[in-house]
Amino acid sequence: MKGPGFFPTELIFAVTDKCNLHCPHCYVTRRNLDINLEDARNFLKSCKNTPIERIGFSGGEPFLNLEFITEIVKEAISQDLMFDRIITNGVWWKNEDDLKNKLTSLYEAGYDGKIGLSYDSFHAQNFEKILTFIKEVYEIWKQNDILDIQSVISEDNEKNIEDLDNFDSLAEELSCSTDVNLKKKTGKGTILLENEELYLPIFRELQSFPAEDPRAWKSRKWFKDDYCQGPGQVLFVHPDGRIAPCCGFANENQALILGNLKDGYEKIMQNAESNRMIKICYEEGLSKEIKKLKKSLPGKTSDICAFCDFFCRQELI
């Protein structure tokens, strides 16, 4: 055994698959579903006195199912759990009163985790709405590090320049200094907007592609095995209640489904112990499967999630 194994410490709820945007880099299957609140609450109770210590929220656009979030926040607080982040596109609101009311309800429920704003050319949000969202978040929480931005790098250089111009405009509007730390070759890295009242990091990441996309297989080098540590040590709950490990796009594959909310924590972890993909991803390493699939592979990929997606699909054939 090389990897440390699967020991999730976080529970992420993809609270809905509904979204007000249609981004070309999003791989969420849309079936107009919301997570069942009572099933989620019961599952959360089954996580008491287990290694699960943090709760996060994803989607779809999670603010389109805010009632679920506020109820789960209250339940999590009652169990002394911490919060990771809510991932949002920031432009789901109808008007400024709607924005203020819903953010306030989240704050009053007791949420004190991060708010992760996805903002880039793929989302193509209105700049003024993004600026209003950011200002309102800081106004309500009055916490200088409440917010960060996740931004995906496009293959279109003009769109990347547009993103950088938008970040410069944000810095100007928020009266922030700017510290840029981006790799010249890829554009990956961080941009930090900062003043005496706020600390706003912007994380620029490369676009990730699913296995069926030829762009996933153009790398010169293979991925390095990390045994799915870090972001992989989670239980991810899909809107239909199915539970998978990790928060990567490959987790919609049946080979990675460990059960559903009705099973409870203990049963899910028992299923994980007998799941072949868990053993490969978290203990043996996915890289050892490259040779076995050599004849069917479309090329090389540096993205472990793309390879996992490909391998899962082969497993189901």
Side-chain angles (χ1 to χ4, degrees), residues 93-140:
W93 42 281
K94 298 175 182 178
N95 52 55
E96 291 190 30
D97 284 341
D98 182 42
L99 172 63
K100 184 174 183 177
N101 290 338
K102 289 181 177 175
L103 289 179
T104 299
S105 69
L106 178 61
Y107 174 79
E108 292 180 345
Y111 182 77
D112 60 358
K114 294 277 190 180
I115 295 179
L117 173 61
S118 296
Y119 181 37
D120 49 47
S121 60
F122 290 100
H123 292 81
Q125 299 109 314
N126 176 274
F127 177 81
E128 293 300 325
K129 288 197 74 171
I130 287 294
L131 180 61
T132 300
F133 176 82
I134 291 173
K135 288 181 176 179
E136 196 64 49
V137 167
Y138 282 114
E139 176 63 27
I140 291 173

Side-chain angles (χ1 to χ4, degrees), residues 255-256 258 271-284 288-289 292 311 315:
L256 284 170
L258 303 177
N271 292 344
E273 289 182 9
S274 60
N275 183 285
R276 182 165 178 258
M277 282 302 300
I278 293 289
K279 187 175 183 63
I280 291 171
C281 292
Y282 291 85
E283 297 180 18
E284 299 173 358
K288 78 178 189 63
E289 305 298 329
K292 297 179 184 179
F311 186 67
E315 286 294 288

Side-chain angles (χ1 to χ4, degrees), residues 1 37 44 50 56-57 83 85 110 128 133 150 165 172 187 216 235-236 285 299:
M1 177 173 139
L37 176 58
L44 194 55
T50 73
F57 300 97
F83 299 109
R85 69 188 60 237
E128 293 300 325
F133 176 82
Q150 288 84 45
D165 288 342
E172 182 178 353
L235 291 178
F236 187 94

Side-chain angles (χ1 to χ4, degrees), residues 244-267:
C246 96
C247 55
F249 56 80
N251 73 6
E252 290 204 23
N253 285 289
Q254 187 59 38
L256 284 170
I257 300 301
L258 303 177
N260 62 66
L261 285 171
K262 293 182 181 295
D263 291 325
Y265 174 85
E266 185 176 348
K267 177 62 175 177

